[in-house]
Each structure stands twice: as structure tokens, then as C-alpha cells.
Amino acid sequence: MANWCNNTVVFEGTAEAIEQITQLFKSMAEKEQKDNCGQMPDFVQDTHGDYFYNISQDDESAGVFQYETKWSPNTEAVKQIAEHFKVDFTYEYEELGCLVYGKATFENGTLTETCLDSQDFDSYELDEETDTYHFEGKEYDSEWEILETLLERKIENQFNNIKI
């Protein structure tokens, strides 16, 4: 049984390209319902079975899609979609059972991906008696704020290292 990685991707480009991507994801979602199996666009080269499952679209915003993958994100498949339609994207993913939490951006043909590692996950702890998380001397009701803080710091450090 797979652990499910939750994915959200936001594509940015021309209205025409976003509409084509919307139709692609809508088609994949319909085919998944009919065939009861994960989907992959025909033009995406083998990405080791990183299929799209439980695809949905954000009705409020064009170009925003949520879906699941088995165990880990399918960044390479998303990148191939972006290259095919000549668009950029921001992609966030998480599967905490496998210690996966990260973000990727694809802008002007350059992919930048940042994810937390085991040291990051070891930097906070859960107090099971109080059901609270402890991080840097503070108490949190949820680990999500901690994870976002750790990821933002890592992205900022990555950006600062590039500038130097």
C-alpha cells in the first residue's frame, strides 16, 4: 500500500496555455474515474511511474491543480508538462510519513527544488502528553507552521548562496 504524497501545482503562462493545461488535467481526471488508475500525459517520457491520482482543479483560480502521487512528488512529470506548454510553475508537495516536504519552481526554463531533510524533521519534537510540538523554545499546536518556517529558511539560504 502506497503512502500518498499531496501535491499542488500552480501553472503560469498565457491564457491559451493555461486553458490547454486545464483541458489536459480535466481529461486525465475523467480517464482516471473511468479506468480507476493513475494518469500520465501521452507526451511525458517515462518518469518511473509517477502517475497523477485523485486530480482536482481549484475552481477559484485558473491553472491551479491538486493531486496525489505514490510516496514522492512527480516533479519531472510536471516539468515536462510545463516545457510542453511553455509555461512556468510553482509546485508544493508533502508526504510526512516518508518525511517529504518541499517546493519546486520552474521559471524561464530553470528548475529550482528545495525540500526538507531528516535533520530538519529532527529539529522539532512532539510532546505526546500535551499533543504539542516544540521548536526553538516555542510551543505549536501543529507541525505545519514549523515545516513552513523550515522550508522558507532553506529557500532563503539557497537564494542567498546563489547571489554570492
Side-chain angles (χ1 to χ4, degrees):
M1 176 98 181
N3 285 8
W4 292 101
C5 182
N6 297 305
N7 306 271
T8 300
V9 62
V10 179
F11 291 101
E12 296 176 7
T14 66
E16 181 182 342
I18 299 303
E19 179 57 30
Q20 290 173 334
I21 292 169
T22 298
Q23 291 307 313
L24 171 69
F25 274 79
K26 184 177 181 179
S27 170
M28 287 194 307
E30 289 170 358
K31 193 167 187 321
E32 179 188 12
Q33 290 295 317
K34 181 181 161 207
D35 297 344
N36 198 28
C37 64
Q39 298 297 306
M40 185 70 70
D42 293 338
F43 58 84
V44 171
Q45 300 301 310
D46 181 29
T47 58
H48 309 290
D50 293 335
Y51 294 96
F52 294 76
Y53 295 87
N54 300 316
I55 302 163
S56 64
Q57 181 181 1
D58 185 334
D59 293 330
E60 302 292 315
S61 306
V64 180
F65 304 91
Q66 291 85 28
Y67 61 93
E68 295 178 325
T69 51
K70 291 182 178 182
W71 295 287
S72 61
N74 61 349
T75 310
E76 180 58 33
V78 175
K79 179 178 174 243
Q80 288 184 40
I81 292 170
E83 290 171 334
H84 183 82
F85 291 104
K86 296 176 178 49
V87 297
D88 296 336
F89 67 77
T90 301
Y91 175 45
E92 297 177 345
Y93 51 85
E94 58 88 7
E95 200 296 283
L96 299 185
C98 292
L99 303 180
V100 172
Y101 190 88
K103 182 177 187 175
T105 57
F106 186 70
E107 195 169 26
N108 299 320
T110 301
L111 178 67
T112 305
E113 186 165 14
T114 308
C115 57
L116 300 183
D117 57 31
S118 60
Q119 279 185 304
D120 296 313
F121 284 95
D122 289 342
S123 69
Y124 66 94
E125 58 186 37
L126 170 65
D127 181 337
E128 293 185 21
E129 287 183 25
T130 61
D131 197 30
T132 57
Y133 293 87
H134 296 271
F135 175 65
E136 296 180 341
K138 293 182 183 174
E139 193 173 283
Y140 297 84
D141 292 329
S142 164
E143 67 188 311
W144 295 108
E145 187 176 352
I146 299 168
L147 294 171
E148 190 59 34
T149 297
L150 290 167
L151 187 61
E152 286 174 10
R153 286 179 186 171
K154 205 165 213 178
I155 290 169
E156 186 175 313
N157 287 339
Q158 192 175 33
F159 179 73
N160 289 336
N161 287 338
I162 291 171
K163 283 177 37 177
I164 295 173

